[in-house]
Every structure is written in structure tokens, then in C-alpha cells.
Amino acid sequence: MTEFSRFTPLVRSLPATVPFVGPETQERAAGKPFRARIGANESGFGPAPSVKAAMREGADEVWKYGDPENHDLRSALAAHLGIGMDRIVVGEGIDGLLGLVVRQIAGPDTPVVTSLGAYPTFNFHVAGFGGRLVTVPYRDDYEDLEGLLDAVKREGAPLVYLANPDNPMGTWHDGETVAAFAEALPEETLLVLDEAYGEMAPPSALPPVARLIDRPNVIRMRTFSKGYGLAGLRCGYAFGAPGTIASFNKVRNHFGVNKMAQIAALAALEDQAYLESVCGRIDAARQRIGEIARANGLEPLQSATNFVAIDCGRDAEFATALMGALVERGVFVRMPGVAPLNRCIRISVGPDEALDIFEAELPHALAAAS
Amino acid sequence: MTEFSRFTPLVRSLPATVPFVGPETQERAAGKPFRARIGANESGFGPAPSVKAAMREGADEVWKYGDPENHDLRSALAAHLGIGMDRIVVGEGIDGLLGLVVRQIAGPDTPVVTSLGAYPTFNFHVAGFGGRLVTVPYRDDYEDLEGLLDAVKREGAPLVYLANPDNPMGTWHDGETVAAFAEALPEETLLVLDEAYGEMAPPSALPPVARLIDRPNVIRMRTFSKGYGLAGLRCGYAFGAPGTIASFNKVRNHFGVNKMAQIAALAALEDQAYLESVCGRIDAARQRIGEIARANGLEPLQSATNFVAIDCGRDAEFATALMGALVERGVFVRMPGVAPLNRCIRISVGPDEALDIFEAELPHALAAAS
């Protein structure tokens, strides 16, 4: 025997794909660290000083398992959102929560609707539970809500994914449009509305919390990874109708949320002044990335996220070469994986020093890629 | 519509059970904190000072996602265990890894063998994927290896769970016996050998790493939660044959392991001197818990873990009353859930101050329970 023979047929059929290759893998291959880490939509601005202080004190607490009910964090989130605690579940990042939603709905061949080129980790989970992805092309670099609704109805799909603001393009629909989309969905279709970038979007991009909160077929997800600068701590949350949220308790890993994440997230939520200042810095960095792109003859897309997709004006081959040339010069960036989005490269915001390096290297990378 | 209608039949059939109620829930109910937290097999001795220092510095790093390959930690573990990195997977605690193993093997009605009263979180995962638990009673407070083997063969089970040393009883088989059990299993049955308490067991309790490492049907699991004192950081690992370990990559949440956990675990592994000193303190605390039990007319079981099961000499009702009386007096302890194990209460080791409180309160609790 060289292989264990009784993994399920589904598991045996899965490829050993990785949704994303980590920058560390590229650094090891190159034998040197990146000079600018602006590829994974992390926040180079980091968390608040108050949060770092809480984490340093938290080092004395992590011998304990975290509270499996995430009581204090859910309670603070409830106050923040103006809803009851029973409408909130905390998980190991949005990635973890997405896996739990997919698991609860998708089995073999279940049709699941998403946009063609949208978040790969969602697709990874759908494949991992045997679901069948039904993809709808973007329309002019926006997720196509009409197309998504049509696909849901045509397929009788029980699950549809929408990121607003969108990743990897950074574009967004206004909250009214998104709410109307949610309300137009059949009751038998659950919408995962991924609002990972919500804090740094125009307020009008987010439907009011109250608007969708009582719909059992809508789950909204947010995270401490982006605006709050805590990607490495893996802490996200979902909110919706109590019955829908309660179902997570049947399958979640109850002690899965890290105690340090609980401590840091609570501190982060309490420091809204820092969040506000960071959102200002994110916006300034978006502007600057746009200016750098234009100065080099490239066209930045509008963004409501912590990154800017830059239309490189040619095909995927060129964008791939440009990304490669940047990576070679120590600038970690990524790009969308699917046409026609993959004519773009995607630059995450970061502090001035990181963008200085991007600005200095982009002309050389363009010359190398041409 | 008040409930979303298209969760899978399996999910709809699951109870909203929680494997363990957290001590924080009890504290909130009581309106005051526990005076001694010795119920969840955490390490009240905490992590090494060197690890705390690494975590404090790590606060500046958690804006980044953790390396999805867990390269540095796997590399250090590989050196520590004397095996190749391709034989190791890091996950969100053993709990997370157990979920992934179950998911890869158990579908509706798949028979899965474990001991009656063994680790509830494993059972939670089996139920969560629709598997059918086949339980084998303990024999004289030891997991019954012969009984487990018989059950595996009778049921044609593809998966069997064994914790050695055992939780919740603290007993253990020697490494030779465990290895012989693993080798006697059919090739079509995967053994999860949970060695969460391995570091604090007599070395003879663990089969040599090399003995089982090439068997595709054996996965051994260890953790940074117990000996290393990092329960709250959720970091465990599994090792085995490369093909079996590689399969985790098909389903695991690649960015799921927390950056802070990677930093702390690496520092913990590097400080073996601290681990050794803590194991000495754990052993002394086990002795002391035993003496406290005997001084009160109760019988401690031998333990190779960081807790001691105390036989209260009567029935489950009495043990439950005793546990309740301790909890009421501010001493957080737990007890096994199933007869005949539930004639015991289970006391985790901890620093002197915690055991002082246990020692002072046990006579009062006994009086109250009698």
C-alpha cells in the first residue's frame, strides 16, 4: 500500500490546488524578501497602536482557549451594528465562514452562482464540497447583478456569492442596487454578501444593516483583516437572521477563533478613530496608485477597496509579464485570474515607502514587459 | 419565510449541540470569574517567556496573512521529528485537523470507531459529516485496543480514533502496544492517533516516529495547546506518509493558520528547555492533585496528561454534584460525559495558587455533594 484508499471519491477527485500562492513562497524561490508587499490586499498601515498594545498584553492570556461563544466580541459587534447578538457569528476569517456556508448548502452537483473571476477561495470551497460553479461574466469590470439573478433562476441555485465592493476589480454597486438585488432573489437562494472592504467604501455602497437583516436568505460578512489591519489573526464575522446564523453552531469549530484574535478584534472595534484615519490613508493611497498608473500610460479603475486594479491596456500575456517584472524587482503584486479581467494588475494600498518603490520600479517593469 | 429552506438535509438534522460549554459562559451565568481555572486541560503554567516575547514582537507582523505553506514551522517540526517536511501539515489546532480528516473520509452512514466517552469534538465532526459513530467501552478506564480493532473489522470502518495518552481518563498504553495496534489495523482503515498530551507522557508511551511514519493509514497529531501552553492560539500539526498528508491540501483553509500562532509555535519549539521544565511542573502538579484526592478519601487515576481523573467512588450523580459544588465555589473543573467514566471528575494541572484553592475547597464541596 502506498496510498490510503478510502478517502471519499470527491476528495480523491479534487486537485491539490492552492487558491493563492503566498508571497513567502515567492520570496523563498527568489532567495530574498520583497521590498514592497502590496499584492495580497493586506493593510500595510497595520492595526491601531491601541490594538498592538492589547495584543502585547494578550500574550499573557493565550494559555486559555478562547471563549467558544465569542461573547464579548459579538456583544460589541451587536452594539456597533445596532442588532442583536443572536444575529452574529464570529469565525476564522471570512474564508472560514465561507467554507461553513458552502458546507451547509452545497453537496454533489449543487449549482452555486458567482462571477467569473471573483474570489477564488469561495470557488475552492464550492469545489471542495462537490458543488458545481455557475459563473457569470463581469460587465465592464462590474459584477453583473442582472446576470447573477438570471443564472440563479435558470439553475435554481440555492447559493450565490457577491462581493461588494468587488475583489479583484475594486468596483462597487451602490447599496440600493445591492439591496434590490438581494430582495429580488428567490427565497430559496441564499446570498452571501461579502463586504470585506466595506469600511473603506463610500457609505452609500453598503445597504443599511436594517434593510436586509430579517431576510433568512441573506448573510453579510465583514472582517478585521482589511480596514482594521489584522489579516494574520483570522477573524471575520457574519450577520443575518437569527435562524440562519444559528445554523453555523451546528458545524463550526466552536473553539476555532483564536483568543488573541478575540482580544485584538475587540480592541480594534473600540478604536474607531484609528479606523477613520486609516480609511483616509487608504483613500490617499488609492489616489496615488492611480496617479502612478496614469503617469505610466496605464488606466486605474475606480476602487472602493484597499487596492486598485490597473488596466494595462493590452492582453493577459502583457499583464502577466508586467506582474512578473514587478515581482522580479521586489514588488509583490497580483492580478486577476480570468479574461477579460486579467488585462489588469492589482496593487494593494500601503504606506508611502511601499508606493515609492512601486513608483520607481513600474517604468522599468513596463520596459521589461514590452 | 422565517427560515432558509435549503440547508442540506444533513445540516437540518443536526442538533445545535456544543461539544463543551466554555468557562466564560459559566462565569457570565455566575456573575463572577472563576478563582481557579483547572477544567479545560489548558496549561496554567503558560508559554515560555521567550514565546511571550516573540508574541509581543509579533504584534507588528499580524497585518500580514500567515504563510499558507507554514514553511518555517513545518521545517522546524521536520527537524524536531527527524522527518521530511512533506510529512507534516499544520492546522488550526488538532480540532481543526480532526474536522479535515473526518471530512475526507466520512460521508452519510460511514462507520467511524472511537471509544465510548472519548473526545467529544471528534464525535461532533463525525456527526457533522453524517458519519455513524461506533463506540467501544473503556476497559478498566483504559481505551480497549482489542475492542477497537474488533469494531473496525466488524464494521469495515475506514476511520478509527485513538487518543494516547487518553482524554478524559489520563491513562495510556505503552508505545509498543499502540504501534502493534496500528500495524494490526486493516490497510483500509485510517488511524488518527491523537497525541495531544505526548510531551508530558513517559517517553515509552509514544511509538518512535519512524515506526509508523511510512504507513499511509496512520496520522499522528500533536499540538501547541498543552505542553507548550498555547491553547488560545489554535495551532496543531499532523504527521504521516506524504500522500496522506498531501491530501489535506485539497480541503484545508490555506490561510487558516494564524500568523501569531506561527510565530509563537516556532518560538515554543525552539525553547525545549522551557518545555522540559514545564513537564516537571506538570508532573509535580499531578502528584499533588493525587495527594489532595487521597487526603479526601478519593482515588486519583494514574495520568500521563496535564490533568488527573479522580474516581469519586460513587455514581455519576455524585460526581456531577461534586463538580457543581466546586464550580459554585469558583473552581472550574469538568468531568467525563459517559458511564462508567462519569463517576470521576477531571482536574487540570496548574500553578500552586490554583491547586491551593482546589485543596481548600474540595472538602467543602464534598460535604455539599454528600
Side-chain angles (χ1 to χ4, degrees):
Chain A
M1 176 174 60
T2 60
E3 270 198 28
F4 180 66
S5 57
R6 288 174 78 184
F7 289 125
T8 62
L10 170 61
V11 167
R12 274 182 281 133
S13 76
L14 293 173
T17 18
V18 177
F20 297 103
V21 174
E24 294 82 5
T25 305
Q26 297 173 270
E27 289 176 329
R28 286 189 291 272
K32 59 184 180 191
F34 280 117
R35 297 161 57 210
R37 183 170 164 131
I38 48 176
N41 303 348
E42 298 158 334
S43 176
F45 304 118
S50 62
V51 174
K52 289 189 190 181
M55 282 191 275
R56 286 191 291 266
E57 283 182 34
D60 290 330
E61 301 295 320
V62 296
W63 64 273
K64 304 175 204 165
Y65 288 104
D67 173 14
E69 297 185 15
N70 297 290
H71 176 278
D72 295 351
L73 180 55
R74 282 168 56 233
S75 172
L77 284 166
H80 183 70
L81 296 169
I83 57 179
M85 275 182 68
D86 58 338
R87 295 173 178 272
I88 302 171
V89 59
V90 173
E92 299 94 320
I94 287 181
D95 284 359
L97 290 165
L98 287 176
L100 292 175
V101 169
V102 171
R103 174 178 165 189
Q104 291 182 82
I105 296 177
D109 293 320
T110 305
V112 176
V113 175
T114 186
S115 298
L116 181 62
Y119 194 45
T121 301
F122 179 76
N123 300 356
F124 172 78
H125 289 310
V126 172
F129 288 102
R132 176 169 57 84
L133 276 173
V134 177
T135 55
V136 176
Y138 281 62
R139 181 182 290 190
D140 299 331
D141 300 324
Y142 283 76
E143 293 205 49
D144 177 3
L145 300 186
E146 211 171 300
L148 290 167
L149 183 60
D150 286 349
V152 160
K153 290 182 176 171
R154 188 180 68 240
E155 300 277 350
L159 181 58
V160 57
Y161 174 85
L162 173 68
N164 190 66
D166 175 63
N167 175 21
M169 302 311 280
T171 55
W172 71 101
H173 294 284
D174 68 41
E176 176 57 38
T177 307
V178 170
F181 169 73
E183 289 161 355
L185 285 169
E187 290 187 352
E188 301 78 33
T189 303
L190 189 130
L191 168 64
V192 170
L193 179 55
D194 180 343
E195 300 181 319
Y197 301 97
E199 291 86 3
M200 63 217 69
S204 63
L206 305 181
V209 168
R211 174 82 177 259
L212 299 173
I213 194 69
D214 282 325
R215 303 188 78 82
N217 67 331
V218 176
I219 298 179
R220 298 170 73 170
M221 297 191 180
R222 296 187 185 170
T223 181
F224 289 92
S225 294
K226 306 298 180 185
Y228 293 104
L230 293 168
L233 284 193
R234 316 312 300 126
C235 191
Y237 57 102
F239 56 101
T244 303
I245 294 299
S247 192
F248 281 91
N249 285 330
K250 298 179 170 183
V251 292
R252 73 187 179 94
N253 196 351
H254 288 267
F255 288 85
V257 177
N258 191 291
K259 177 107 181 156
M260 190 68 94
Q262 292 175 335
I263 291 169
L266 193 57
L269 198 64
E270 281 167 0
D271 196 340
Q272 291 293 312
Y274 179 81
L275 179 68
E276 198 177 319
S277 82
V278 148
C279 287
R281 296 174 76 186
I282 288 172
D283 189 50
R286 287 190 297 227
Q287 303 300 331
R288 184 168 173 210
I289 293 168
E291 287 156 16
I292 295 169
R294 278 192 214 93
N296 285 273
L298 308 178
E299 189 57 33
L301 274 65
Q302 284 276 0
S303 169
T305 63
N306 71 350
F307 60 85
V308 177
I310 297 177
D311 185 339
C312 301
R314 294 169 59 178
D315 58 6
E317 202 182 335
F318 178 69
T320 305
L322 180 57
M323 176 178 72
L326 283 164
V327 163
E328 219 167 79
R329 281 162 179 76
V331 183
F332 168 56
V333 302
R334 283 196 180 127
M335 61 181 283
V338 171
L341 316 181
N342 61 6
R343 69 189 194 286
C344 300
I345 59 172
R346 201 191 62 181
I347 313 297
S348 305
V349 302
D352 284 340
E353 309 81 66
L355 298 189
D356 289 347
I357 294 168
F358 171 62
E359 182 169 32
E361 295 300 340
L362 182 58
H364 302 299
L366 274 167
S370 292
Chain B
M1 175 173 62
T2 60
E3 269 198 29
F4 180 66
S5 57
R6 288 175 78 185
F7 289 126
T8 63
L10 169 61
V11 166
R12 273 181 282 135
S13 76
L14 293 173
T17 20
V18 177
F20 298 103
V21 174
E24 294 81 6
T25 306
Q26 297 173 269
E27 289 176 329
R28 285 188 292 271
K32 59 184 179 188
F34 281 116
R35 297 161 57 210
R37 182 169 164 132
I38 48 175
N41 303 347
E42 298 157 333
S43 176
F45 303 119
S50 62
V51 173
K52 288 189 189 180
M55 281 191 277
R56 285 191 290 265
E57 284 183 33
D60 289 330
E61 301 294 321
V62 296
W63 63 274
K64 303 174 202 166
Y65 288 105
D67 173 13
E69 297 185 15
N70 296 290
H71 176 278
D72 295 351
L73 181 54
R74 283 167 57 232
S75 173
L77 284 166
H80 182 71
L81 296 169
I83 58 178
M85 275 181 68
D86 58 339
R87 294 171 178 276
I88 302 171
V89 61
V90 173
E92 298 95 321
I94 286 180
D95 284 358
L97 291 165
L98 287 175
L100 293 175
V101 168
V102 171
R103 173 178 164 189
Q104 290 183 83
I105 296 177
D109 293 320
T110 304
V112 176
V113 175
T114 185
S115 297
L116 181 63
Y119 193 44
T121 301
F122 179 75
N123 300 357
F124 172 77
H125 289 309
V126 172
F129 289 102
R132 176 169 57 83
L133 276 173
V134 177
T135 55
V136 176
Y138 281 63
R139 181 181 292 190
D140 298 331
D141 300 324
Y142 284 76
E143 293 204 51
D144 176 1
L145 301 185
E146 211 172 299
L148 290 168
L149 183 59
D150 286 350
V152 160
K153 290 181 176 171
R154 188 181 69 240
E155 299 278 351
L159 180 59
V160 56
Y161 174 85
L162 173 68
N164 190 66
D166 175 63
N167 176 20
M169 301 311 279
T171 55
W172 72 101
H173 295 286
D174 69 40
E176 176 58 36
T177 307
V178 170
F181 168 72
E183 289 161 355
L185 286 169
E187 290 187 349
E188 301 78 34
T189 303
L190 189 131
L191 167 64
V192 171
L193 179 55
D194 181 342
E195 300 180 322
Y197 301 96
E199 291 85 5
M200 62 217 68
S204 64
L206 305 181
V209 168
R211 173 82 177 258
L212 299 173
I213 194 69
D214 283 325
R215 302 189 78 84
N217 66 331
V218 176
I219 297 178
R220 298 170 74 169
M221 295 191 182
R222 296 186 185 170
T223 181
F224 289 92
S225 294
K226 306 298 179 185
Y228 293 104
L230 293 169
L233 285 192
R234 317 311 302 127
C235 191
Y237 57 102
F239 56 101
T244 303
I245 294 301
S247 192
F248 282 91
N249 284 329
K250 297 178 172 183
V251 292
R252 73 187 178 91
N253 196 352
H254 288 268
F255 287 84
V257 178
N258 189 292
K259 176 106 183 159
M260 190 67 96
Q262 291 175 335
I263 291 169
L266 193 57
L269 198 63
E270 280 168 1
D271 197 340
Q272 292 293 311
Y274 179 80
L275 178 68
E276 199 176 320
S277 82
V278 150
C279 287
R281 297 174 75 187
I282 289 172
D283 189 50
R286 286 190 298 226
Q287 304 299 329
R288 183 169 174 211
I289 293 168
E291 286 157 17
I292 295 169
R294 277 191 215 93
N296 285 275
L298 309 178
E299 189 57 33
L301 275 66
Q302 283 276 359
S303 168
T305 64
N306 71 351
F307 61 85
V308 176
I310 297 177
D311 186 339
C312 301
R314 293 169 60 179
D315 57 7
E317 202 182 337
F318 178 69
T320 305
L322 180 58
M323 176 178 72
L326 284 165
V327 163
E328 219 167 79
R329 281 161 179 76
V331 184
F332 169 56
V333 303
R334 285 199 180 122
M335 61 180 284
V338 172
L341 316 181
N342 60 6
R343 70 189 193 286
C344 300
I345 59 171
R346 200 191 62 179
I347 313 296
S348 306
V349 302
D352 283 341
E353 308 81 67
L355 297 189
D356 289 347
I357 294 168
F358 172 63
E359 183 169 31
E361 295 299 342
L362 181 58
H364 302 297
L366 274 167
S370 292

